[in-house]
Amino acid sequence: MTDSKYFTTTKKGEIFELKAELNSDKKEKKKEAVKKVIASMTVGKDVSALFPDVVNCMQTDNLELKKLVYLYLMNYAKSQPDMAIMAVNTFVKDCEDPNPLIRALAVRTMGCIRVDKITEYLCEPLRKCLKDEDPYVRKTAAVCVAKLHDINAQLVEDQGFLDTLKDLISDSNPMVVANAVAALSEIAESHPSSNLLDLNPQSINKLLTALNECTEWGQIFILDCLANYMPKDDREAQSICERVTPRLSHANSAVVLSAVKVLMKFMEMLSKDLDYYGTLLKKLAPPLVTLLSAEPELQYVALRNINLIVQKRPEILKHEMKVFFVKYNDPIYVKLEKLDIMIRLASQANIAQVLAELKEYATEVDVDFVRKAVRAIGRCAIKVEQSAERCVSTLLDLIQTKVNYVVQEAIVVIKDIFRKYESVIATLCENLDSLDEPEARAAMIWIVGEYAERIDNADELLESFLEGFHDESTQVQLQLLTAIVKLFLKKPTETQELVQQVLSLATQDSDNPDLRDRGYIYWRLLSTDPVAAKEVVLAEKPLISEETDLIEPTLLDELICYIGTLASVYHKPPSAFVEGGRGVVHKSLPPRTASSESAESPETAPTGAPPGEQPDVIPAQGDLLGDLLNLDLGPPVSGPPLATSSVQMGAVDLLGGGLDSLIGGTNFVAPPTAAVPANLGAPIGSGLSDLFDLTSGVGTLSGSYVAPKAVWLPAMKAKGLEISGTFTRQVGSISMDLQLTNKALQVMTDFAIQFNRNSFGLAPAAPLQVHAPLSPNQTVEISLPLSTVGSVMKMEPLNNLQVAVKNNIDVFYFSTLYPLHILFVEDGKMDRQMFLATWKDIPNENEAQFQIRDCPLNAEAASSKLQSSNIFTVAKRNVEGQDMLYQSLKLTNGIWVLAELRIQPGNPSCTLSLKCRAPEVSQHVYQAYETILKN
Amino acid sequence: MIGGLFIYNHKGEVLISRVYRDDIGSRQAADSAVFSSSGPFPGEWLEANRRNAVDAFRVNVIHARQQVRSPVTNIARTSFFHVKRSNIWLAAVTKQNVNAAMVFEFLYKMCDVMAAYFGKISEENIKNNFVLIYELLDEILDFGYPQNSETGALKTFITQQGIKSQHQTKEEQSQITSQVTGQIGWRREGIKYRRNELFLDVLESVNLLMSPQGQVLSAHVSGRVVMKSYLSGMPECKFGMNDKIVIEKQGKGTADETSKSGKQSIAIDDCTFHQCVRLSKFDSERSISFIPPDGEFELMRYRTTKDIILPFRVIPLVREVGRTKLEVKVVIKSNFKPSLLAQKIEVRIPTPLNTSGVQVICMKGKAKYKASENAIVWKIKRMAGMKESQISAEIELLPTNDKKKWARPPISMNFEVPFAPSGLKVRYLKVFEPKLNYSDHDVIKWVRYIGRSGIYETRC
């Protein structure tokens, strides 16, 4: 017997016939009729007219028939609320049935009938079912609480169902526990503030026990719930991880991914030195690889998540490149995702293999995939610098294939590589002749025009094209016209003739209207307003948006908390695609133990001591900026500075003293002065200007913040010589502004100055020149230029500078602390892409967080203030009302510091997260920030 | 959680629709008639369709002109997950941030359950069993939360005949519910067999990607251990294989055993288990212990990448002779014990799209040019180990203006060999049933190894 026959009747009097059958005495006939009704319902016919007749069939001991009637009820009750009441009695009766299957069925169905009047009647049966002796009924009732909450949240709270539900977490049956957890998690989501799930070590323990026993689905509910828990300390985190790891061998991919989520999250809390940390990392790789042998849809979900995991912790899969090689028969969505991950995993070790693969992919059929593969080659060139040449030669090979989209993509990619490797231009120009496809020729001409200032013989090259102008296709002609105009705007003196030639060719000798129009426009522009022409022709091009963009660090952290879910598939926070209040609770990774310590340090460490404590340092002039001086100048010479050294200890602990080698390695970096003017005075029209896009608007630099002078060497310690001073940085040069006062009774002469070796190689760039002898009570002001090429020795604290000053009387020693921002160089602006890559690349352990209090600046003000001290805003983002500034700065010795500054409008304190390969500097950078922002 | 579940036929007509959440537009009046296209008021339906997110799936995915670009689609803030079985689309719909992996696992599971009840998933079968499917959907998904979906358990109380509640004894009922919710949800109590018997199949698929020069670009074996158990009671089983880690661990105790079996042990990269296996025990002791479901199930899946025996080596030679001719020579070499026989060997040599004619000469088997598949298919019924065979073909091409070069898809191979290419060996499967009086020795056990080609490709 088959059911499909129920679908076939479509006679006019159908409803009437059905009505008759439903009221038949014969049970079999009744059942047949109900089936027909359901079939019509599925098809989308309105059978609501049969409501009373169907409900009449409810009273039956035939479970199958009962289920069908219930199905009907769920569909139509809402449209016929009054009639639905007729069913209530049966439901209530069924909830008392001796058969647990029927009790459960009744309570399950009742929850699905979203009619207010019915929910009132539901409460009593539900209460009983939640305490039913049979676990099957209890697990169904648990879910029913969530259903009821969805209809009437207040009712659920008033009736105390939430407490009963909480009790079920301790139920003896694992499935009841799992469903209770699922229901509570969902209810808790709509009440973000309530402490509904109240997870504590005891309840966590219960969940972990149930985890071993319940169904695969239950395990997912429990793991997803565990992921929301915040362990007290790293010990607890580790013990939970230990109990979750066996799940990685589960056959169900969702169980595996949810377990990965819990592990990735709690791993944040574990110290990297722990043996267990390493073990855990090793354990994560194989299950992730196994996910790739699942069905394609799951592979897709897995790959989207692996993409996140690889960005967060590249070390996990760094040796697994091969498993991401694309298979010929993979669905396109799997191919594209694999490609993305391949690029992320590309390194010097595997680049040869990757390039060989990518070249192979460039011959495939799917245009999107091919384009992406070609683009990937370009990304490899940027990512693995050593491979640039190889990548370019691969691209040139591809250009030879003459497949138009491959050529286009290759040229576009090469254009991107240009920004980094100008040497490529030469290679390309050599290949000019081999391009016979108009599209490729046009692209090539575009390149020559765009980068004219960097191609010595750009005019010759373009001229050679011009010879055969009329034989070229229109697209080449158009491109040639534009390129020559660009060239003219960049090198006006040498190319005047050329531009006139091309303009006349385009406007007079051509009968192509497009070409003529373009020619005339250029002509007018150039003759009337060359400045406007420049703005139009050399307009900045937006960065090509790439699908392989790195995800911003805060978003990445949030997405890690959503592993396995849709958010991780879309790579968007749930708020971007979920309506209403559900699921928009902002999740974040637990703070690492290490970083939480350092976050506290500014408060606990005495460096930021209030102004009253060291009043002797503050100069008599009574500057209002006193408290800042404390930070920057540190204690006076007298006695070893207890306070500062304790801070230093903290900083060193975080790092494990890797600085020496680091500084040693960057010792010979040339002083930054040479590179400075690049973004200060260069015309905006330069081809590179888009890299400095944010810089250009801000206005001129006024130099870094300068602290007022402070007394470094009191007169009584130096036989009458008082030295006060400060440090400045102006247009790339650092100087020490000194004020020498002779408080002795004799004349002072023969001044000289010397620095002890220090952390950043600061040294006087010129001798200390005091031209005339210093007579008693006389003061001179001297600006002593400093260089950063002196010998390097790590000091404690890092910014400590020991100075010896000699005069005719004696040699005096003192030490002072210099503010770190004098070391921030002018080319400290990182490219956006680089910033993201670097941020991700620097291990989390190196991140330090600080609070900057009482700084009521808005993002723009802060950004411009910081910029004048060479802290550059790379990107800005607004997340839920908070302004996030991503900033970069570079120290004279080449150390990059990346910062995320979170400013909340209306809140005077802002949060600063710093990431740096040499985390010792973080503390000092923070102080520099504070100093700059507060002045 | 899952807001609704829909099954569509290839035309995009809804065969089954079950809405669990209010946020998914209920489709009472929506949709065109599936089984009878001549319904009244088409205008009204159309209007309703517009409002219905579910129909968006049909329009945007099933009827989309393009190839499917993602198994997850977001249309108007509603997310659709879909899988396809033959020409049937199963779609789960949600408006929340659900666990995506779980939704797909559930969809696969649902396919398994349906297949276990009525065989192939086809439009015909779905229509024939729509009442059953609704019943199943009611049971395995509650408010969008997946519940117990083990076929073994489901079959005890969801049957096509319909259970009359008064016919069940109280014990039977509570047995059902305790099984559905219990720790061992996959097996019922009181199973009895006159002959206790079990079958173990080690099924491996060996995957290879080789460069034209014979360099292995990637190779791995993904294997499955499938068990068919016909055992009485609640038997406690323990499965052992030549896992390197286990053998090395034991080797520390007895030195001579290492020398005996150590060589043959294999390194397993990763494995996953059926939910009956106690994972925490595997994690701590690496022992695989479980109470099996009755009948057939997949005990474990594993993956190995080291020391794989590649049963065949393909040596391609493609030469372009002018613009209108290609010469192809392919040699295959079998690489296993001469006493073993490989079967169902098939080599697929792709040909360019502009092929006009092919002449093939092969020493063994049959070769044919299949124009519709753009390939030369060479079939050999059997081939013993350590043998070699060769095919050569001349492909004539039509001259073409298309400058795009032929992509040269890889040469692929299919075969079946009677051993496990990973080297995996079953060492034991011990059965203990403490309550019934049969011992491990009374159980008849069968083990079989089958190695098949997965994606076995050589680039040319």
Side-chain angles (χ1 to χ4, degrees), chain A residues 541-555:
Chain A
K541 278 147 216 80
L543 270 178
I544 299 148
S545 76
E546 294 192 56
E547 49 276 84
T548 42
D549 262 357
L550 289 167
I551 294 168
E552 282 178 83
T554 36
L555 179 60

Side-chain angles (χ1 to χ4, degrees), chain A residues 577-886:
Chain A
F577 61 91
V578 174
E579 266 167 21
R582 261 169 205 273
V584 276
V585 195
H586 193 77
K587 289 192 187 179
S588 59
L589 289 175
R592 254 165 311 106
T593 338
S595 90
S596 60
E597 271 166 20
S598 68
E600 284 161 15
S601 63
E603 287 139 33
T604 49
T607 347
E613 246 171 51
Q614 296 172 313
D616 47 333
V617 208
I618 300 173
Q621 291 97 305
D623 204 297
L624 288 170
L625 306 163
D627 56 336
L628 295 168
L629 286 177
N630 273 348
L631 283 174
D632 286 332
L633 302 178
V637 221
S638 50
L642 236 173
T644 5
S645 64
S646 75
V647 173
Q648 182 55 24
M649 293 297 284
V652 170
D653 280 353
L654 279 176
L655 257 197
L659 191 76
D660 280 320
S661 60
L662 206 147
I663 290 178
T666 49
N667 203 353
F668 302 107
V669 170
T673 24
V676 169
N679 65 338
L680 290 179
I684 300 173
S686 109
L688 269 179
S689 63
D690 51 346
L691 291 180
F692 301 109
D693 48 355
L694 280 165
T695 326
S696 45
V698 180
T700 52
L701 296 186
S702 57
S704 306
Y705 161 72
V706 181
K709 291 200 177 80
V711 178
W712 286 344
L713 184 68
M716 53 186 294
K717 297 233 168 212
K719 301 187 177 162
L721 175 67
E722 188 183 80
I723 302 180
S724 52
T726 185
F727 294 90
T728 62
R729 180 184 184 93
Q730 216 109 38
V731 209
S733 51
I734 309 168
S735 52
M736 186 187 219
D737 289 351
L738 292 169
Q739 180 177 324
L740 308 180
T741 308
N742 185 350
K743 291 195 172 174
L745 295 171
Q746 58 183 120
V747 177
M748 291 179 183
T749 53
D750 304 334
F751 285 96
I753 193 164
Q754 218 165 15
F755 292 176
N756 194 1
R757 288 194 288 169
N758 54 68
S759 315
F760 292 93
L762 280 176
L768 184 65
Q769 286 181 329
V770 183
H771 294 296
L774 199 59
S775 19
N777 271 332
Q778 197 194 346
T779 301
V780 285
E781 304 237 353
I782 303 156
S783 180
L784 176 73
L786 303 184
S787 71
T788 50
V789 289
S791 2
V792 172
M793 183 178 77
K794 190 183 170 192
M795 296 297 292
E796 290 198 6
L798 207 60
N799 56 344
N800 192 5
L801 182 67
Q802 294 176 341
V803 184
V805 173
K806 194 196 90 154
N807 64 7
N808 56 338
I809 300 169
D810 205 346
V811 181
F812 312 106
Y813 301 92
F814 67 93
S815 68
T816 179
L817 299 177
Y818 48 92
L820 212 65
H821 68 256
I822 62 161
L823 301 172
F824 297 171
V825 301
E826 278 69 14
D827 62 344
K829 179 158 186 184
M830 220 180 229
D831 174 47
R832 270 177 99 103
Q833 306 284 328
M834 272 291 286
F835 182 89
L836 287 172
T838 316
W839 182 279
K840 187 196 66 147
D841 216 38
I842 298 176
N844 284 333
E845 290 71 24
N846 288 7
E847 187 176 340
Q849 239 185 40
F850 305 96
Q851 287 289 330
I852 300 175
R853 283 166 214 283
D854 305 321
C855 159
L857 288 172
N858 65 18
E860 278 75 40
S863 170
S864 66
K865 228 172 182 180
L866 291 167
Q867 169 135 16
S868 60
S869 292
N870 295 338
I871 299 172
F872 299 95
T873 304
V874 175
K876 208 181 121 180
R877 197 161 80 98
N878 189 296
V879 182
E880 288 159 15
Q882 296 189 339
D883 281 316
M884 318 277 274
L885 294 177
Y886 296 94

Side-chain angles (χ1 to χ4, degrees), chain A residues 2-4 6-7 10 35 38-39 41-44 61-64 67-68 71 74-76 78 98-102 105 108 114 134-136 139-140 143 146-147 150 173-175 179 182 186 212-213 215-217 220-221 224 245-247 249-254 257-258 283 286-287 289-290 295 297-298 300-301 322 327-328 332-333 357 360 363 366 368 403 405 437 562 564-567 569-570 574-579 582, chain B residues 15-16 18 21-22 27-36 45 67-74 77 79 81-84 94-102 104-106 108-109 124 127-131 134-135 138-139 142-143 145-150 157-158 160-166 168 173-174 176-177 180-181 183 209 216-217 220 269-275 279-280 282-283 301 303 403-404 407 409-410 455 457 459:
Chain A
T2 67
D3 293 339
S4 57
Y6 302 115
F7 291 90
T10 46
K35 280 188 181 181
I38 301 290
M41 196 174 85
T42 300
V43 171
D61 51 8
N62 184 316
L63 207 55
E64 194 189 1
K67 282 178 180 170
L68 287 174
L71 189 66
M74 284 186 265
N75 246 337
Y76 286 111
K78 216 175 173 186
N99 186 341
L101 291 173
I102 291 186
L105 180 66
R108 185 165 68 209
R114 304 175 61 91
D134 195 291
Y136 183 78
K139 73 108 184 163
T140 311
V143 176
K147 290 178 190 167
D150 194 37
N173 184 293
M175 196 161 178
N179 276 3
E186 182 168 346
N212 286 324
E213 294 160 353
T215 65
E216 45 193 332
W217 314 115
I220 298 167
F221 306 153
D224 284 351
T245 33
R247 297 299 122 199
S249 313
H250 202 286
N252 187 316
S253 307
L257 267 178
S258 290
K283 276 192 176 171
V289 174
T290 298
E295 289 84 344
E297 291 88 0
L298 264 174
Y300 175 72
V301 174
K322 277 188 178 180
K327 291 180 191 142
Y328 195 72
I332 181 68
Y333 49 81
E357 280 294 310
E360 197 72 37
T363 60
D366 190 287
D368 272 0
V403 181
Y405 50 84
E437 284 272 309
Y562 287 114
T565 69
L566 265 179
V569 174
Y570 293 146
S575 51
F577 61 91
V578 174
E579 266 167 21
R582 261 169 205 273
Chain B
L15 304 179
I16 296 284
R18 177 75 161 90
R21 298 272 172 146
D22 234 22
R27 47 172 302 284
Q28 281 178 9
D31 208 281
S32 56
V34 185
F35 308 105
S36 62
W45 286 343
Q67 196 187 356
V68 180
R69 303 307 275 197
S70 161
V72 187
T73 328
N74 193 325
R77 294 209 149 212
S79 298
F81 299 76
H82 74 262
V83 300
K84 222 182 150 188
T94 182
K95 285 212 159 187
Q96 297 175 11
N97 181 30
V98 296
N99 188 322
M102 182 186 82
F104 280 123
E105 282 285 1
F106 176 79
Y108 301 143
K109 193 69 177 202
E124 191 60 30
K127 280 185 188 172
N128 284 342
N129 294 283
F130 84 99
V131 173
Y134 276 123
E135 208 176 327
D138 198 41
E139 189 58 45
D142 191 4
F143 201 41
Y145 290 105
Q147 304 292 308
N148 194 337
S149 47
E150 282 300 311
F157 67 107
I158 296 182
Q160 274 160 302
Q161 281 76 46
I163 293 176
K164 299 215 166 57
S165 55
Q166 77 260 38
Q168 283 174 319
Q173 288 162 3
S174 69
I176 290 170
T177 58
V180 174
T181 61
Q183 288 185 27
L209 184 62
V216 176
L217 295 174
H220 75 271
D269 286 28
D270 189 37
C271 43
T272 57
F273 297 99
H274 184 266
Q275 60 167 323
L279 294 180
S280 39
F282 178 74
D283 194 56
R301 278 176 186 235
R303 181 167 46 83
K403 279 190 184 156
K404 193 180 156 183
I455 294 161
E457 294 178 338
R459 289 184 178 155

Side-chain angles (χ1 to χ4, degrees), chain B residues 296-331:
Chain B
E296 186 172 326
F297 72 104
E298 187 179 285
L299 176 63
M300 72 180 282
R301 278 176 186 235
Y302 56 91
R303 181 167 46 83
T304 73
T305 46
K306 291 198 188 71
D307 305 321
I308 294 169
I309 308 157
L310 294 171
F312 286 95
R313 165 91 202 272
V314 177
I315 305 155
L317 194 76
V318 181
R319 208 161 66 90
E320 290 179 37
V321 188
R323 298 195 61 155
T324 56
K325 205 167 146 191
L326 272 181
E327 279 180 11
V328 180
K329 198 173 102 177
V330 176
V331 180

Side-chain angles (χ1 to χ4, degrees), chain A residues 470-487:
Chain A
H470 289 297
D471 303 328
E472 299 284 359
S473 68
T474 316
Q475 95 192 98
V476 179
Q477 286 175 335
L478 284 169
Q479 211 47 261
L480 196 54
L481 173 62
T482 308
I484 291 178
V485 172
K486 278 185 192 165
L487 176 70

Side-chain angles (χ1 to χ4, degrees), chain A residues 4-19:
Chain A
S4 57
K5 64 173 189 279
Y6 302 115
F7 291 90
T8 50
T9 52
T10 46
K11 280 169 270 161
K12 274 269 159 87
E14 191 187 3
I15 300 276
F16 185 75
E17 262 176 42
L18 280 174
K19 210 178 176 85

